[in-house]
Structures are given as C-alpha cells and as structure tokens.
C-alpha cells in the first residue's frame, strides 16, 4: 500500500500489575487474593506527531478513583513528556483485582476492624513500572488507520430487565446468574457491536484497540486473581499476533453483564472467552487501512454534584459504626471520597481521540450503556468507539429516567440525576 508522508508515530507499552497474594481485591469488598490464576497487565501507547504526546492506557484493575487515577495520569504524562490532560487511563473492571481510592482507604484505615483496601507500596511500584515501560517504549511510524466492527454473540445482557408494571427494578441479573427465570428474560438494551481501531506502519499492523460494553467477569468473590474472559481472549489474540499490540477497553457497561449467558461455572468462562475471541478476530478481519492524515485530542471537564440527603458527616459516622456491615462502611468511605473531591472543586476529565473521522471516547465511572448509544448516534455515519471506567470517583452513572426505577446501580450512584445532562452535553461537545 502507498505510504503517505506524515509525522505520526506510536510507541506501545505493557507491564505487569498483578497484586501479591493477600492483597485486597475490589477495595476490600470481596475476599483478598489467595491465588493468581493469570496475570494482570497494563497496556497502552504513546502517540506523537500531533502537538504534545498523547498517552492512552488500559489496565486489568477494577477501578482507579479520584487522586489515585490522577496519580497514574501524572506519572504517565511525566514519562512521555506531556501533560496529564493528554492522558487517558481506563480500567477493564474485572472484580477480582484491585480497586484503589486513596481517600477511601485513608478513612477506612482509621477503623481497626475494617479490612485494608489496597497496599500503597504495591501501588507505587506499579507507577514506577508505568514510568519505566513508557520510557522504554520504542516508537513506530504510523501511516494508516482502520476501523472494524463485529457483532458479539451471546455475551452481553442488560442487568435491569426484571421490572414491575411501574418500571421499577425487581431483581438483578448480574455477571453470573443461576436463576433460570431471570436468564430466560430478553437480552434487554445493550450495544452488540465490538469495535476495533488499528494503526499501521505501511502494511504492518502495530496497534489494535478493541472496545466492547459488558461487565468483564464470569465469576469472582473467590480470591482468585484473573483477567477473566475479556482479558483471556485478549491474551490469546496477542499470542497469535505478537507483531501487533492489542489493547482491550470496557465500554459503558454499568447496567450490562453476561448474566443471561453465564451460570458462573468454569465452563461458562471458557465459552465466554471463545465468543469474545471470535468477535475480536471478526473485527480484525473487517479492517481496511486508509491513510492517516489527521489526529486530534479534545477534553471536557465536569463536576456533577453528589446525591442530596447524605452529608459528609453522616458518611464519616457510617464508616465508624462498627455495628454496620463492613461492605456498607467501605461503600460509605468510597462515597465520602466523592463528597470531599466535589467540595475541593476537582473536576473529572473526559477526552476524545480522533484518527481522521474515527473517534474514541474516554469516559469516567460506570456509565450506563445508553450513554454509549447516544454518543454513537451523535455522529451517525462516523465511527465512535467508547471506553468507560476512567476515573471511577463517582461510581455508577445511570440515566435520568433510571433513578426512579431504583435497583443496585441507582443505590450506588454517588451523583444525583443531573449527572445525565452534564455528562451528555460534555459528550456532545467532545464529538462535535
């Protein structure tokens, strides 16, 4: 293929972020690590040739919140000689992995009976690995870009399909579901498409970023650390195509999981991995490289307000209440982190990266899938790939109408319903 002259280059990097045994998983909300079934990775790239360098990274952790997320962006920016506003860090969101919020951990650590939420030395060691990996990354020329799409079969299903006549959620079909009645319900609203954006040096594909919206777990709460079926499929594809760095991003999956197609067994994990791998390969087969002539990066800052009716003082009292269940107290510590951040006026950062007319959108929190579908509709006829689970300081992000429907995600949303308009308008500005 003809190679156009342009200044673009990409330097892929990867490094290990597997926690040690006995490290907290999911911020202490599930049992700590007792076994390492497979390794966890941070994978990303540095893109140069368009103003200051751009860094995008996905890591096999449940979440990074508030100051912990900022610390990653600052470290990667320093290593790449850029600024933190030109760095996107997204978690894949497997649950038997670390979930790190320094504010919540500091609050919980004041209560001797609460479990540790993460180990600071391990966190700092991962930041040091990130810096070393970026500095060691070798740039490759980028001449072409491609976008591919594949329909994913029998993985994603909406968690909120069991409702009463008024539309209120009655039961949850989560990542794994053993209830045959719940599994028999329709898939519900999902985004069935996996999207791939690939960069080429001439005819050689050097980077492929994959985006799909589902909770990426088959089972958890057993202390066995794993990248689970999305990570396992990515690793198998990487082994088959070692000349190309593969990066996987979880889209807006706050209300989407594999429950309809997953009974939580080891056999289900294997089947889900095979289906994900088939979709990854199908999207790769659909790639048609075109000359890359434009790269652009945009950001939007937002600060949605916390839920009304719960004060920081009440949350502090909940964390200190030794009579309450530990998970309720830890959740209050996470929620307190958002209250304190909002009081300090520290916004969330949303970003978009354009390759020609192909957009990849990087969002915070556990966004409902409706936001991803809206984003794609805003640029009908032009590709939009969406990654959520950036800064998870605000936890779940339901749509306005879902607040009245209740359910677990609404109960665990740290912001009020005004987050819908704030988030949607920011996405519109990013994609305009």
């Amino acid at each position: 293929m003809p190679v156009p002259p342009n200044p673009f280059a990409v330097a892929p990097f990867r490094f290990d972020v597997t926690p040690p045994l006995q490290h907290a998983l999911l911020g202490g909300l599930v049992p700590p690590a007792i076994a390492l079934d497979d390794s966890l990775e941070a994978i990303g790239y540095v893109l140069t040739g368009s103003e200051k360098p751009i860094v995008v990274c996905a890591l096999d952790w449940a979440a990074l919140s508030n100051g912990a997320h900022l610390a990653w962006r600052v470290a990667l920016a320093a290593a790449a000689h850029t600024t933190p506003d030109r760095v996107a860090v997204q978690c894949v969101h497997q649950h038997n992995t670390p979930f790190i919020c320094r504010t919540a951990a500091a609050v919980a650590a004041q209560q001797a009976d609460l479990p540790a939420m993460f180990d600071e030395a391990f966190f700092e060691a991962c930041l040091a690995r990130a810096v070393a990996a970026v500095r060691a990354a070798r740039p490759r020329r980028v001449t072409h870009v491609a976008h591919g799409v594949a329909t994913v079969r029998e993985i994603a299903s909406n968690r909120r399909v069991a409702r009463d006549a008024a539309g209120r959620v009655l039961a949850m079909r989560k990542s794994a579901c053993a209830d045959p009645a719940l599994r028999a319900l329709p898939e519900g609203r999902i985004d069935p498409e996996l999207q791939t954006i690939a960069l080429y040096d001439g005819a050689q594909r050097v980077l492929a970023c994959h985006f799909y919206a589902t909770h990426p777990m088959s089972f958890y709460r057993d202390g066995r650390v794993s990248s689970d079926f999305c990570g396992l499929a990515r690793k198998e594809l990487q082994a088959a195509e070692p000349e190309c760095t593969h990066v996987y991003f979880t889209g807006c999956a706050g209300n989407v999981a594999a429950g309809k197609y997953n009974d939580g067994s080891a056999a289900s994990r294997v089947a889900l991995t095979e289906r994900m791998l088939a979709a990854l390969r199908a999207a790769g087969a659909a790639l048609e490289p075109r000359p890359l002539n434009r790269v652009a990066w945009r950001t939007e800052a937002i600060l949605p307000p916390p839920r009304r009716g719960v004060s920081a003082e009440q949350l502090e009292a909940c964390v200190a209440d030794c009579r309450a269940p530990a998970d309720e107290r830890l959740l209050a510590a996470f929620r307190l982190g958002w209250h304190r951040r909002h009081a300090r006026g520290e916004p969330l950062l949303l970003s978009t990266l354009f390759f020609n007319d192909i957009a990849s959108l990087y969002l915070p929190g556990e966004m409902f899938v409706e936001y991803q579908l809206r984003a794609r509709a805003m640029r009908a006829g032009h590709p939009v790939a969406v990654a959520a689970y950036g800064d998870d300081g605000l936890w779940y992000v339901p749509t306005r109408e879902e607040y009245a429907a209740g359910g677990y995600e609404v109960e665990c949303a740290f912001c009020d319903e005004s987050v819908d308009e704030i988030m949607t308008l920011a996405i519109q500005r990013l994609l305009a």
Side-chain angles (χ1 to χ4, degrees):
M1 69 179 65
V3 177
N6 64 45
F8 305 119
V10 66
F13 60 84
R14 65 189 323 122
F15 55 96
D16 185 84
V17 290
T18 309
L21 293 178
Q22 299 306 315
H23 191 279
L25 304 179
L26 200 63
L29 294 170
V30 300
I34 63 167
L36 306 177
D37 284 357
D38 60 279
S39 63
L40 307 183
E41 296 179 285
I43 311 172
Y45 60 92
V46 180
L47 181 70
T48 56
S50 176
E51 300 178 349
K52 295 179 180 179
I54 296 163
V55 185
V56 178
C57 180
L59 64 155
D60 290 329
W61 283 0
L64 285 166
S65 294
N66 303 317
H69 186 267
L70 179 59
W72 270 76
R73 288 172 44 224
V74 168
L76 290 170
H81 303 290
T82 189
T83 52
D85 61 303
R86 295 178 71 81
V87 178
V89 178
Q90 315 294 125
C91 290
V92 180
H93 195 59
Q94 304 97 327
H95 279 19
N96 269 2
T97 66
F99 185 153
I100 296 178
C101 175
R102 281 170 157 166
T103 303
V107 171
Q110 297 175 13
Q111 311 301 320
D113 62 321
L114 285 178
M117 300 180 79
F118 80 99
D119 179 71
E120 181 68 29
F122 166 67
F123 181 78
E124 289 292 336
C126 289
L127 289 181
R129 292 175 206 162
V131 171
V134 169
R135 288 177 175 169
R138 299 179 63 183
R140 291 283 302 271
R141 180 185 59 168
V142 177
T143 61
H144 292 73
V145 64
H147 173 256
V149 177
T151 298
V152 183
R153 310 289 183 186
E154 296 188 350
I155 291 183
S157 59
N158 199 283
R159 308 201 303 183
R160 298 165 58 83
V161 292
R163 300 182 183 238
D164 63 17
R168 290 190 59 83
V169 174
L170 296 174
M172 297 292 299
R173 185 171 61 190
K174 296 186 178 180
S175 294
C177 181
D179 185 333
L182 284 176
R183 294 186 69 186
L185 292 172
E187 278 186 342
R189 183 178 290 121
I190 64 170
D191 184 344
E193 292 186 346
L194 181 146
Q195 301 195 53
T196 295
I197 300 172
L199 300 180
Y200 293 74
D201 179 359
Q204 177 64 58
R205 182 163 28 133
V206 296
L207 178 76
C209 296
H210 311 282
F211 303 78
Y212 180 62
T214 188
H215 264 68
M217 304 93 60
S218 52
F219 53 85
Y220 63 105
R221 293 183 180 275
D222 57 1
R224 305 190 69 87
V225 174
S226 174
S227 62
D228 218 306
F229 70 92
C230 293
L232 293 171
R234 180 197 73 222
K235 290 173 180 176
E236 190 164 342
L237 184 63
Q238 184 66 67
E241 302 178 5
E243 72 286 349
C244 173
T245 298
H246 291 275
V247 193
Y248 179 87
F249 297 93
T250 298
C252 296
N255 55 343
V256 176
K260 179 174 174 62
Y261 304 107
N262 175 36
D263 62 5
S265 66
S268 285
R269 175 175 285 182
V270 173
L272 292 168
T273 301
E274 291 174 347
R275 292 173 202 154
M276 178 59 68
L277 181 59
L280 292 168
R281 286 174 169 160
L287 294 168
E288 296 183 0
R290 302 180 184 277
L292 176 63
N293 51 46
R294 173 179 177 259
V295 170
W297 177 262
R298 295 180 183 172
T299 61
E300 283 284 332
I302 62 171
L303 189 60
R307 295 284 284 269
R308 298 178 293 272
V310 180
S311 67
E313 292 74 21
Q314 289 172 313
L315 293 171
E316 290 168 355
C318 180
V319 176
D321 185 0
C322 60
R323 298 165 299 177
D327 57 349
E328 291 183 9
R329 298 165 67 192
L330 293 175
L331 178 60
F334 278 116
R335 192 183 293 271
L336 183 61
W338 182 252
H339 271 258
R340 290 183 175 177
R341 175 176 181 163
H342 189 270
R344 294 192 302 267
E346 298 172 0
L348 297 162
L349 195 68
L350 291 64
S351 53
T352 302
L353 177 58
F354 289 92
F355 296 105
N356 295 345
D357 70 332
I358 303 166
S360 53
L361 178 64
Y362 301 95
L363 301 176
E366 294 209 47
M367 308 282 293
F368 274 29
V369 72
E370 285 84 353
Y371 291 98
Q372 177 163 320
L373 298 172
R374 289 177 192 174
R376 295 184 61 187
M378 290 173 190
R379 299 188 79 240
H382 301 280
V384 178
V386 184
Y389 300 95
D391 190 327
D392 204 28
L394 73 176
W395 275 47
Y396 284 96
V397 187
T399 56
R400 177 179 289 274
E401 58 270 23
E402 284 299 286
Y403 277 83
Y408 168 76
E409 301 97 337
V410 171
E411 294 169 0
C412 291
F414 292 177
C415 297
D416 65 27
E417 60 271 19
S418 68
V419 69
D420 184 319
E421 182 178 11
I422 294 169
M423 192 73 71
T424 301
L425 290 174
I427 293 170
Q428 284 180 336
R429 291 189 294 270
L430 285 170
L431 297 177

